[in-house]
Every structure is written in C-alpha cells, then in structure tokens.
Amino acid sequence: QVQLQELGPGLVRPSETLSLTCTVSGGPVISGESYWTWLRQPPGKGLEWIGNIYYGGSTNYNPSLKSRVTISVDTSRNQFSLTLSSLFAADTAVYYCARDWTRGGSCFDHWGQGTLVTVSS
Amino acid sequence: QSVLTQPPSVSGAPGQRVTISCTGSTSNIGAGYDVHWYQQLPGTAPKLLIYGNNNRPSGVPDRFSGSKSGTSASLAITGLQAGDEADYHCQSYDSSLSGSRVFGGGTKLTVL
C-alpha cells in the first residue's frame, strides 16, 4: 500500500519561498503508472492542482502558478519536492502530495495527510 | 472560480438518495475525459470515491455510484447514512490548460 507524507514549515513570511518534501513509502516513485502531484486547499475552499512530475523528470504545472512553481524528484530517496516562490497571504492553505494514477484515468488514489502552511509576517 | 461547477450544498435524510452534479465544458468532461469523485470527511485528506466515471475502488460501498453524460457528471448516494456527511469533490482533465487536472468547488453534504 503506497503511503505519502508531507514535510515542511508551518509558517512562512510573505515574499519568501516555500519548500515542501513528500516521502513515498510502500512503492517506488520509479513507476510507469504514476505522476507525483502537489495540490492545495485554502481554508474553507476547494482543491487546487499545483502540478506533477514523472519519475524521469518531466513536469506539468497549473498555468496560474507556473511562474512561481518548481517540482523535482529524488528517486534515490523516494521523494519529490515542491518550491513555491514569492509567497502571498493567498497562498495560505493545506498542501497535499498525492499519486496521480494514470491507469485509473489520472485520478488521485493515494494522498498524504496534508500540511498547513500559513503565510504571515 | 473553479473550472468544474458543483452545487455548494445538498442535504438528505437518513436512508434517502441524493445526487451531486458536476458541470464542465467541451474542453474537459465534454471532450471525453474521465471524471473522478473524492469524499473529504471533516479535518481529513480527500479519499478517492469513484474513478473513471463509474468505478469504485476496493472498499467503497456500492451505495456510491457515478455517471457521466455530455458535459456533466453526477455522483449518487443511496441509503444515506450519518457517516456520509462530508465534502464531495469532482475532478477531471482539461485540454485547454496545458495538462491541468481540474476540480469543482466542492459540495457539502448534510445528513438531516
């Protein structure tokens, strides 16, 4: 059973850069049927897809965030990471990592528990 | 503003049937891309409920079913239970947004 766990700071100052890491266990990130994904959910609001990465390094990003987002993968540590720059208060959200299962039509079948990131001075 | 449109809330009494709609456009649901549904209990991460329009992952009761027609999809829940009270999110793929996976705004289900 694949499990994911996010790790990162709970509080970040405006204009700074957020860095989050997701550790995958129970299966390799080197998987032909998986895109490794970051999503977020502002308090009281819906889900937003941030972007994903394939184990070979190819990425897709939400056009609304593309200029500020980088997703990378470390196959030796079975981890993938998110950096989001130039933070605003509107970036305050619970950030989730998840597996995008391509054989299921690109659904998110495994999720981390989420980590709350607050952008505030 | 979400790409997919869901009603903000629905409600039903225990034992009843409720449906939640998800309306898209010709660049996502109407283009033939799969629709998936997630259940999010209070304070927890979303859980995959329906994938590929009408498939249930192992462990999801058959009280939950999905359908798709044209540019819309629906989630139906029969035999409503108190434990079904949650937020429900639909998701698809949009070809006009550079590989973006897109969501509805979520629907809060209240069991009366």
Side-chain angles (χ1 to χ4, degrees), chain B residues 6 8 10 15 17 27 30 43 45 56 60 63 73 78 90 98 106 108:
Chain B
Q6 297 179 237
V10 297
R17 178 181 186 269
S27 63
R56 288 184 306 276
V60 174
R63 300 187 298 106
T78 60
C90 64
S98 302
K108 169 68 176 177

Side-chain angles (χ1 to χ4, degrees), chain A residues 94-106:
Chain A
V94 176
Y95 285 74
Y96 295 101
C97 59
R99 184 179 84 147
D100 179 329
W101 182 41
T102 56
R103 279 175 49 198
S106 283

Side-chain angles (χ1 to χ4, degrees), chain A residues 35 39 41 46-49 52 60-63 96 100-101 104-109 111-113, chain B residues 34 36 38 40 44-48 51-52 87 89 91 97-106:
Chain A
Y35 278 85
L39 308 99
Q41 185 173 32
L47 294 162
E48 181 179 34
W49 178 80
N52 64 28
N60 295 289
Y61 298 131
N62 186 322
Y96 295 101
D100 179 329
W101 182 41
S106 283
C107 61
F108 305 113
D109 64 339
W111 295 68
Q113 65 185 29
Chain B
D34 286 340
H36 318 294
Y38 303 87
Q40 187 174 26
T44 69
K47 167 193 164 187
L48 181 63
Y51 69 95
D87 292 326
H89 307 271
Q91 178 246 318
L97 296 172
S98 302
S100 286
R101 281 60 167 165
V102 292
F103 285 91

